[in-house]
Amino acid sequence: AVVSTQSTGEVEPSSRLGLPFIAIIGNDGSWKQIERDQVKMLDSPVACRLDRSTPYHRVGEAYGAVGMSIPAEASMDEIRDTLLSAQEEYRKGRTVVVNVELGNSAFRE
């Protein structure tokens, strides 16, 4: 299954009903997409800067999914191994939430 956008609300019924998907969260420690426009309009990043260390994969676990994390300093081998493990769990019928810590970027600026 390819899922483009989900919220944490979909993880619980997916896990409970056996309708698995893999959710990959790109965690840059902010709502950067919102912040770009908000700062232009309101001259303030209030509520857009978050803590990158928030363990979003644990939210998935609380909803019954398998939680996995890829730290920003992970090697390509570690990233590959984690994503392969996520696919393996998915094939077993489990919903998976992968929290991928991203570095800062000027992408789209």
Side-chain angles (χ1 to χ4, degrees), residues 31-45 48 108-109:
W31 290 105
K32 191 56 110 176
Q33 185 175 359
I34 304 300
E35 182 179 353
R36 276 192 297 275
D37 291 334
Q38 180 176 309
V39 169
K40 287 178 189 173
M41 292 187 305
L42 305 174
D43 198 32
S44 172
C48 291
R108 294 189 181 163
E109 288 183 11

Side-chain angles (χ1 to χ4, degrees), residues 22-68:
I22 299 172
I24 298 177
I25 299 169
N27 178 1
D28 66 354
S30 72
W31 290 105
K32 191 56 110 176
Q33 185 175 359
I34 304 300
E35 182 179 353
R36 276 192 297 275
D37 291 334
Q38 180 176 309
V39 169
K40 287 178 189 173
M41 292 187 305
L42 305 174
D43 198 32
S44 172
V46 69
C48 291
R49 298 201 178 139
L50 309 172
D51 185 350
R52 183 174 280 125
S53 66
T54 301
Y56 292 109
H57 56 292
R58 300 279 185 234
V59 174
E61 291 173 354
Y63 280 127
V66 174
M68 299 181 178

Side-chain angles (χ1 to χ4, degrees), residues 9-10 16 18-19 27 32 35-36 46 53-54 73 77 83-84 87 106:
E10 281 88 11
R16 179 172 38 87
L19 302 169
N27 178 1
K32 191 56 110 176
E35 182 179 353
R36 276 192 297 275
V46 69
S53 66
T54 301
E73 65 277 358
D77 287 340
L83 295 177
L84 288 172
Q87 289 176 329

